[in-house]
Amino acid sequence: MSKDAYIHKVLPGEPGGPLVFAFHGTGGDENQLLGFARELAPGATIVSPRGDVSEMGAARFFRRTGEGVYDMEDLARATGKMAEFVKTHVAAVEPSQVLALGYSNGANILASVLFAEPDLFDAVALMHPLIPFAPDVKGSLCGRHVLITAGRRDPICPPDLTSRLDACLRQAGADISLEWHDGGHEVRPNEIEAVKSLFAGVTKGAAA
């Protein structure tokens, strides 16, 4: 699999430092979270791919047939492709840690890759994920740090499904943090601070 399997942007970081993958939401592109990821991890190399599926002109990482109704065959395709994309960039950079964040559809593809490849990331931030199926984690998530952020009034991501995802990942052994706010699908400051703390804690822990 080529490093160019997806249209993407790279912001170089310090040699031997962390590598951060950033996955945009529906209608975003490789620029949506690029600067945000840089703020969260200033010395890291940032890789931000663009989804390869178009939904009426809006970029996504996999197809769906309705709100919260996923094309599971295409999700499997996208998961395998994204996992290989991540692996090729990790091999090229040889980072100290592999971190990732995703928002909405980007959080969903990130979660699916996490289920399929539990050893791929040291820490992930899933911002407003919607996983409408019971996750099948292919191994143990012990030692992996996972942050889920969500809105208690999110019309797209029902809180009960967020709680179910949290429980499933805990059962798989992940070190889970769950950050709520009282709003909807928007990203709020407490979420940003939670992601920043997650990444800072993981990178400092590795350097200690």
Side-chain angles (χ1 to χ4, degrees), residues 3 8-11 19-23 30 34 37 45-49 85 89 93:
K3 287 196 299 177
H8 66 284
K9 284 192 174 180
V10 177
L11 291 181
L19 174 59
V20 177
F21 291 89
F23 303 102
E30 64 276 20
L34 199 64
T45 295
I46 313 296
V47 177
S48 183
F85 175 80
H89 281 273
V93 174

Side-chain angles (χ1 to χ4, degrees), residues 3-86:
K3 287 196 299 177
D4 298 321
Y6 290 88
I7 295 170
H8 66 284
K9 284 192 174 180
V10 177
L11 291 181
E14 299 169 0
L19 174 59
V20 177
F21 291 89
F23 303 102
H24 65 79
T26 297
D29 61 18
E30 64 276 20
N31 299 299
Q32 185 183 44
L33 298 179
L34 199 64
F36 178 50
R38 168 61 84 217
E39 290 177 18
L40 294 172
T45 295
I46 313 296
V47 177
S48 183
R50 183 194 303 177
D52 60 353
V53 168
S54 176
E55 183 179 87
M56 294 184 292
R60 285 177 53 84
F61 290 101
F62 58 89
R63 301 186 189 282
R64 61 181 174 179
T65 58
E67 190 69 62
V69 184
Y70 297 164
D71 180 332
M72 298 303 289
E73 184 175 334
D74 194 60
L75 176 58
R77 171 206 64 82
T79 299
K81 180 179 177 181
M82 186 59 75
E84 291 305 314
F85 175 80
V86 170

Side-chain angles (χ1 to χ4, degrees), residues 46-189:
I46 313 296
V47 177
S48 183
R50 183 194 303 177
D52 60 353
V53 168
S54 176
E55 183 179 87
M56 294 184 292
R60 285 177 53 84
F61 290 101
F62 58 89
R63 301 186 189 282
R64 61 181 174 179
T65 58
E67 190 69 62
V69 184
Y70 297 164
D71 180 332
M72 298 303 289
E73 184 175 334
D74 194 60
L75 176 58
R77 171 206 64 82
T79 299
K81 180 179 177 181
M82 186 59 75
E84 291 305 314
F85 175 80
V86 170
K87 289 176 185 177
T88 58
H89 281 273
V90 170
V93 174
E94 297 184 346
S96 54
Q97 298 93 31
V98 183
L99 315 174
L101 67 112
Y103 167 66
S104 195
N105 182 241
N108 299 338
I109 188 63
L110 175 55
S112 190
V113 173
L114 180 67
F115 305 153
E117 302 273 359
D119 295 330
L120 202 50
F121 303 105
D122 296 297
V124 303
L126 305 174
M127 307 181 77
H128 298 264
L130 172 59
I131 304 299
F133 55 88
D136 179 17
V137 181
K138 304 296 185 182
S140 172
L141 286 169
C142 288
R144 309 297 160 184
H145 302 273
V146 180
L147 168 69
I148 301 172
T149 72
R152 295 189 187 278
R153 295 178 176 82
D154 192 330
I156 296 173
C157 305
D160 61 319
L161 293 186
T162 299
S163 297
R164 184 178 72 175
L165 175 61
D166 172 67
C168 288
L169 294 178
R170 287 181 191 276
Q171 189 172 8
D175 179 2
I176 290 277
S177 298
L178 185 53
E179 182 75 21
W180 292 98
H181 64 63
D182 289 328
H185 203 57
E186 75 279 2
V187 174
R188 292 195 175 183

Side-chain angles (χ1 to χ4, degrees), residues 191-202:
E191 296 178 71
I192 296 171
E193 288 304 313
V195 180
K196 190 178 294 185
S197 295
L198 170 70
F199 286 177
V202 171

